[in-house]
Amino acid sequence: SGPRQTVAQAPTPKLGTGPSLYELELPMTAQTGAPIRLDVDRGHPTLISMFYGSCAAACPTLIARIAHTVDEIPEPARSETRVLLVSFDPARDTPARLAALAREHHLDARWTLAAPSQADAQTLAAVLGIKYRAVKGGEFFHTSVVVALDGEGRTLTRAEGLGDSPALLAALTP
């Protein structure tokens, strides 16, 4: 027999547990104005969270935290990872406002910012375990949660709060 050949194999994707988030029928509008659904990034590991565009404190920190997590993922997994940020303030988070936010935060094409109807935002928040409520002046009190999904929309892990999460990084690193 001749010399042994080794064949490079792609890393085995991690698989989540439970039902797929993609089973929820939640139509949304992306920052491009295009109609999308939760499965916009099907086939890619995805970080999903909720926010509102006029937030001055927690949401910019949340976006920076997610960006830092994505930057820490080694290639080629980093290029495959997607981010879906869903607004719970659809009245003000129009496609134009979401597009402006994406530019302000230097978010690339791997990021999708979207707004569903108010009722669908409430449904998604409940499923993700995100609590929010409107307060005076058009602001929202809300928790910060980021959920890592596998390519089929099943939960790999979740992180609460605004600190870095080794669990998110570990879930997305082959």
Side-chain angles (χ1 to χ4, degrees):
S1 80
R4 238 175 130 174
Q5 293 183 353
T6 57
V7 177
Q9 293 182 344
T12 304
K14 294 180 180 165
L15 299 177
T17 60
S20 172
L21 186 66
Y22 298 161
E23 293 174 22
L24 289 176
E25 291 292 325
L26 297 180
M28 301 181 288
T29 303
Q31 77 263 32
T32 61
I36 62 167
R37 295 195 179 271
L38 286 172
D39 68 350
V40 64
D41 294 315
R42 185 182 291 274
H44 296 274
T46 300
L47 293 172
I48 184 171
S49 190
M50 295 185 77
F51 78 114
Y52 71 107
S54 59
C55 180
C59 297
T61 302
L62 176 69
I63 292 169
R65 172 184 163 215
I66 294 170
H68 180 260
T69 298
V70 171
D71 288 346
E72 293 295 310
I73 300 168
E75 287 294 357
R78 181 183 326 137
S79 294
E80 288 299 311
T81 301
R82 301 295 184 263
V83 179
L84 176 59
L85 295 179
V86 180
S87 172
F88 44 76
D89 187 13
R92 290 186 291 178
D93 286 339
T94 63
R97 177 65 184 129
L98 295 174
L101 277 169
R103 286 190 301 276
E104 288 170 25
H105 290 279
H106 309 287
L107 306 179
D108 64 26
R110 294 174 296 171
W111 291 67
T112 301
L113 280 60
S117 70
Q118 188 62 56
D120 286 345
Q122 292 170 346
T123 298
L124 181 60
V127 169
L128 295 176
I130 296 172
K131 297 175 182 156
Y132 73 95
R133 64 180 164 85
V135 294
K136 260 204 265 188
E139 300 298 310
F140 290 85
F141 173 79
H142 63 93
T143 58
S144 295
V145 174
V146 180
V147 177
L149 304 174
D150 70 8
E152 293 305 312
R154 294 178 302 256
T155 299
L156 294 168
T157 193
R158 57 183 279 117
E160 296 186 27
L162 293 172
D164 283 337
S165 172
L168 292 174
L169 183 59
L172 298 170
T173 301

